[in-house]
Amino acid sequence: MDNAETAAESWSDPTYNELTRRGVRHVVYVPDAGLSRLIDRAVADDRVENVVLTTEQEGIGYLCGAWLGGDRGVLLMQSSGVGNCVNTLGLVQSGRFPFLALVTMRGEWAEFNPWQVPMGQATGRVLEAMGVIVQRADRPEEVAEIVAAAADHAFGGDQAVAVLLSQRLIGRKVWTQ
């Protein structure tokens, strides 16, 4: 196990435990390396439905349907996927659905790919413009608590909440050929 795996476990495992403790039974996602430990936990958990999406906005419709069926879920995605969700976030607001998303950030700390910067810099503002409450986690020791509070806010208060997981938390991206 390398340092990146150890760092991911330090926040991912307690975060996953907080999600399931709060009744999250659906984990929908577009695969992302920064979220891989959470995704692996969902795949290994027989109590949780995990769904691989072809695009992030599919997850919003899925989670609204899960809520109508009496279940709770979370959307896992990278900041670039937030741009794909803008129109569909209108469903969350119009239907007053609780909504929870965990978003790994690109386009900030130590970003090497200029393509990631514009959406990464706009992610929080785009979500807020669509009525989503945005919280941010920068340190491993704070992620589980912030996600637990976001889940309580979403499911207990019928709110749309996204937690941005900073690029510094996820780790420096390295270009390899």
Side-chain angles (χ1 to χ4, degrees):
M1 183 176 304
D2 65 21
N3 288 341
E5 290 174 337
T6 303
E9 285 182 12
S10 74
W11 65 266
S12 297
D13 289 344
T15 298
Y16 186 81
N17 294 339
E18 291 294 340
L19 289 170
T20 56
R21 186 174 298 126
R22 282 163 172 75
V24 168
R25 296 294 173 255
H26 299 266
V27 175
V28 299
Y29 58 93
V30 173
D32 176 66
L35 295 163
S36 62
R37 179 70 184 171
L38 283 177
I39 293 168
D40 290 346
R41 290 285 311 269
V43 169
D45 189 343
D46 292 337
R47 301 169 301 165
V48 172
E49 291 291 326
N50 67 86
V51 178
V52 182
L53 307 168
T54 56
T55 182
E56 293 80 359
Q57 68 262 30
E58 293 174 347
I60 295 172
Y62 181 97
L63 293 177
C64 290
W67 179 257
L68 290 173
D71 282 344
R72 297 175 174 186
V74 62
L75 172 60
L76 308 179
M77 64 179 159
Q78 189 182 82
S79 56
S80 59
V82 170
N84 297 333
C85 294
V86 173
N87 195 40
T88 313
L89 284 168
L91 171 66
V92 172
Q93 292 303 314
S94 296
R96 302 183 54 88
F97 288 100
F99 174 72
L100 179 62
L102 305 184
V103 181
T104 53
M105 294 302 297
R106 292 290 308 261
E108 51 182 34
W109 183 76
E111 179 62 63
F112 70 88
N113 183 349
W115 185 255
Q116 295 284 350
V117 175
M119 190 64 225
Q121 294 297 306
T123 296
R125 293 189 312 269
V126 167
L127 288 166
E128 288 171 346
M130 293 308 297
V132 178
I133 298 165
V134 175
Q135 300 177 0
R136 184 180 175 90
D138 294 308
R139 298 186 318 267
E141 64 274 14
E142 68 184 8
V143 178
E145 181 182 14
I146 290 171
V147 170
D152 291 344
H153 201 175
F155 302 121
D158 294 334
Q159 299 296 315
V161 184
V163 178
L164 307 184
L165 304 171
S166 77
Q167 194 164 353
R168 190 168 194 155
L169 169 75
I170 302 303
R172 182 185 297 260
K173 301 289 183 185
V174 178
W175 177 259
T176 57
Q177 295 183 3

